């Protein structure tokens, strides 16, 4: 029996994958998207670098090529068209509240669960775009940026969404939920200076990566407590010294070779015991 999922959740590139799979896009077509169109999405020009003073005064890339690719992939599909449940985190830079005492930035969870709080009218391409707008890489669009700034690993958000009393779906018991988390690979990062006395200059580079990793580890810890053996995370570790940045389309072949060498035995064993 082929495995299936009642709910797909993802942030950034995981959001694109979750929305695409829920929309019926095949794995092979998604592979082509990353292999063949990554260089279009992460295209840059000399003029753009001059205008933005490298990356100091503007985003590294325009969001327009990514938007065009996603519109081509999703067409006019909306979240409400999907029968499969999807959860995608974004971050809203301004909630536009009329009461200035309540106006601020805030997380936004895009989903298609039934009930009064869903986002059924959102185009799939727009949700996929906004969840992928990583700061410094892409500019904000309609006031939204990458949900990874608060939910780089959205497993707890997905779990919480299943328990939302506003849904018209009956909330499943935690004992009936199995959750498989798939990471995009982990680099071995550390700060060897035990008594570092750093300021903004020293922390500027490692702090964002540190916070993203801490968020993922926190969610991993929480899900283990809530779901115990019914939760499994696969996050392959790159060899010592290996760094593959988000926009490194020139390293995609290297990434493919490495991913094919990774063992999936633990995932197979877990799914055979808890999922199938």
């Amino acid at each position: 029996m082929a495995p299936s999922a009642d709910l797909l959740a993802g942030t950034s590139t995981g959001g694109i994958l979750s929305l695409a799979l829920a929309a019926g896009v095949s794995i092979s077509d998604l592979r082509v998207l990353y292999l063949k169109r990554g260089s279009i999405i992460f295209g840059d020009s000399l003029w753009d670098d001059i205008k933005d003073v490298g990356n100091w005064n503007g985003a590294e890339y325009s969001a327009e090529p990514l938007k065009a690719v996603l519109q081509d992939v999703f067409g006019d599909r909306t979240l409400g068209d999907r029968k499969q449940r999807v959860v995608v985190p974004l971050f809203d830079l301004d909630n536009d509240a009329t009461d200035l005492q309540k106006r601020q930035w805030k997380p936004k969870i895009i989903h298609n669960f039934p009930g009064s709080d869903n986002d059924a009218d959102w185009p799939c391409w727009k949700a996929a775009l906004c969840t992928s707008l990583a700061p410094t890489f892409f500019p904000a669009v309609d006031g939204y940026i990458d949900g990874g700034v608060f939910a780089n690993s959205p497993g707890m958000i997905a779990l919480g969404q299943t328990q939302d009393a506003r849904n018209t779906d009956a909330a499943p018991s935690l004992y009936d939920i199995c959750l498989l988390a798939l990471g995009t690979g982990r680099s071995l990062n550390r700060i060897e200076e035990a008594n570092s006395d750093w300021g903004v200059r020293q922390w500027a580079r490692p702090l964002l990566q540190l916070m993203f990793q801490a968020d993922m580890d926190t969610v991993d810890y929480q899900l283990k407590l809530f779901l115990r053996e019914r939760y499994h995370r696969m996050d392959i570790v790159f060899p010592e010294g290996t760094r593959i940045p988000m926009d490194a389309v020139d390293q995609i072949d290297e990434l493919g070779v490495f991913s094919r060498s990774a063992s999936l035995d633990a995932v197979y064993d877990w799914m055979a015991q808890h999922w199938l």
Side-chain angles (χ1 to χ4, degrees), residues 16 19 63 66-67 70 124-133 141:
I16 295 175
L19 288 159
L66 175 59
K67 177 181 176 180
L70 294 173
C124 290
W125 70 261
K126 184 175 180 180
L129 173 67
C130 292
T131 192
S132 306
L133 299 172
V141 171

Side-chain angles (χ1 to χ4, degrees), residues 15-145:
I16 295 175
L17 294 173
S18 297
L19 288 159
L21 291 171
V25 180
S26 69
I27 295 291
S28 59
D29 285 344
L30 284 172
R31 184 173 182 273
V32 170
L33 167 64
Y34 282 82
L35 289 176
K36 303 299 184 183
R37 304 177 82 170
S39 59
I40 298 173
I41 293 169
F42 293 109
D44 203 4
S45 67
L46 177 60
W47 168 243
D48 187 60
D49 282 343
I50 294 172
K51 176 171 63 73
D52 293 337
V53 193
N55 192 208
W56 282 103
N57 196 42
E60 184 74 25
Y61 307 103
S62 167
E64 289 303 313
L66 175 59
K67 177 181 176 180
V69 167
L70 294 173
Q71 286 178 326
D72 183 50
V73 169
F74 289 102
D76 59 0
R77 300 179 180 100
T78 66
L79 266 75
D81 296 333
R82 308 296 97 212
K83 293 182 178 179
Q84 189 168 36
R85 303 286 177 250
V86 188
V87 172
V88 178
L90 320 176
F91 196 84
D92 187 353
L93 295 176
D94 184 352
N95 64 10
D96 291 321
T98 55
D99 183 348
L100 293 182
Q101 288 298 110
K102 297 180 180 179
R103 189 169 180 178
Q104 61 179 339
W105 56 32
K106 67 180 181 64
K108 180 171 178 61
I109 312 299
I110 295 290
H111 69 87
N112 62 351
F113 276 73
S116 60
D117 188 43
N118 70 35
D119 303 281
D121 59 340
W122 265 65
C124 290
W125 70 261
K126 184 175 180 180
L129 173 67
C130 292
T131 192
S132 306
L133 299 172
T136 76
F137 286 93
F138 296 106
V141 171
D142 294 338
Y144 295 109
I145 61 171

